[in-house]
Amino acid sequence: LRKVCFALASKNVSTWTHGHSASKRFAKSMKTENVTSHEPIAVAVSGGVDSMSLLLLTHDWLQQRRKPFSLVALSVDHNLRAESAGEQDKIAGWLSSLQGVQHVQLKMEWNEFEHTDHPSELNNNVDNDKTRSSQEPAVLLSKLQQSARDRRYALLVAECKRQGISRLLVGHTFDDQLETFLFRLCRASGVAGLAGMQATTVYDHVYITRPLL
């Protein structure tokens, strides 16, 4: 898994770790956000460099402080592309080398959504459905992506609650923070909207923490 992260990072170096001691910064961030090694922790992993590095940092942080520890890696199959199942298998293969980590794969079921289109239906329905005839495919795709993000968090939090986990770590970095700020700026958000992402938020009694911000 470490080799995979190094390979990914060589193509996309995170500004969070560049030129700094990642482990020291991570430990400081965990302390600032009141995350302790005594609580069960879940990490959302997507297979990208940020989330996989977050899992490694969390694993090493726990190993240095507590044995045994409780660490769960949660990955989500968005069920939007034919390749997504294979990508989940690849993540499972990477995580199999990391001792002490329970990997749970979650799958998004689009038939649970009312008034939500699966991507395969977008091109077919835009011209035929009068209620959406004025909407461009790009607009529908944007709504779909937002719906997928919302559903992903709902799945992650539901699994955390099922396992009695109240702390979920996600791999947002400064780059994501900047992207969020610029997106909200373009949408003419108010002062509160331009504040960006908070390091810790609460979703249905589960603390979602972003240690890499």
Side-chain angles (χ1 to χ4, degrees):
L1 179 57
R2 295 179 192 279
K3 291 181 179 179
V4 170
C5 285
F6 287 144
L8 291 171
S10 66
K11 299 179 181 179
N12 180 24
V13 179
S14 171
T15 58
W16 188 85
T17 58
H18 182 65
H20 298 84
S21 171
S23 60
K24 290 182 179 180
R25 290 198 64 189
F26 183 77
K28 181 179 179 181
S29 179
M30 294 288 268
K31 183 178 180 179
T32 300
E33 298 307 315
N34 298 313
V35 184
T36 72
S37 59
H38 297 279
E39 60 181 307
I41 296 174
V43 178
V45 295
S46 64
V49 60
D50 293 329
S51 66
M52 301 300 274
S53 296
L54 173 61
L55 179 62
L56 279 176
L57 286 166
T58 306
H59 181 267
D60 291 350
W61 179 80
L62 285 170
Q63 275 195 324
Q64 294 169 8
R65 287 162 178 79
R66 181 177 177 84
K67 292 182 181 180
F69 54 82
S70 178
L71 180 59
V72 180
L74 302 177
S75 61
V76 177
D77 179 355
H78 290 77
N79 198 19
L80 299 178
R81 297 175 293 108
E83 312 87 53
S84 60
E87 292 169 354
Q88 290 295 303
D89 292 338
K90 184 180 294 186
I91 292 174
W94 291 340
L95 298 186
S96 64
S97 63
L98 203 57
Q99 294 183 350
V101 177
Q102 174 195 0
H103 179 211
V104 178
Q105 295 183 0
L106 306 171
K107 187 172 183 178
M108 203 172 289
E109 298 295 343
W110 286 96
N111 57 9
E112 296 179 10
F113 289 94
E114 294 183 359
H115 314 301
T116 302
D117 294 297
H118 192 279
S120 61
E121 301 174 350
L122 288 179
N123 292 332
N124 295 330
N125 291 343
V126 169
D127 295 329
N128 298 329
D129 193 333
K130 294 181 180 180
T131 63
R132 293 166 301 160
S133 59
S134 62
Q135 296 185 5
E136 295 293 334
V139 175
L140 292 176
L141 182 59
S142 176
K143 291 183 178 180
L144 173 69
Q145 291 170 337
Q146 181 61 52
S147 180
R149 284 192 291 269
D150 293 342
R151 181 55 177 167
R152 177 173 180 262
Y153 273 107
L155 285 174
L156 292 170
V157 168
E159 180 62 23
C160 285
K161 296 182 71 173
R162 189 186 74 81
Q163 296 205 34
I165 299 172
S166 60
R167 181 77 64 171
L168 171 66
L169 306 184
V170 294
H172 291 133
T173 67
F174 176 78
D175 291 339
D176 299 309
Q177 182 76 293
L178 180 60
E179 181 180 348
T180 299
F181 175 84
L182 293 175
F183 176 75
R184 292 177 177 177
L185 181 64
C186 291
R187 294 184 61 182
S189 297
V191 175
L194 292 178
M197 292 182 289
Q198 297 180 1
T200 296
T201 54
V202 181
Y203 186 126
D204 197 11
H205 306 291
V206 173
Y207 290 91
I208 300 178
T209 298
R210 304 165 179 84
L212 306 187
L213 281 182

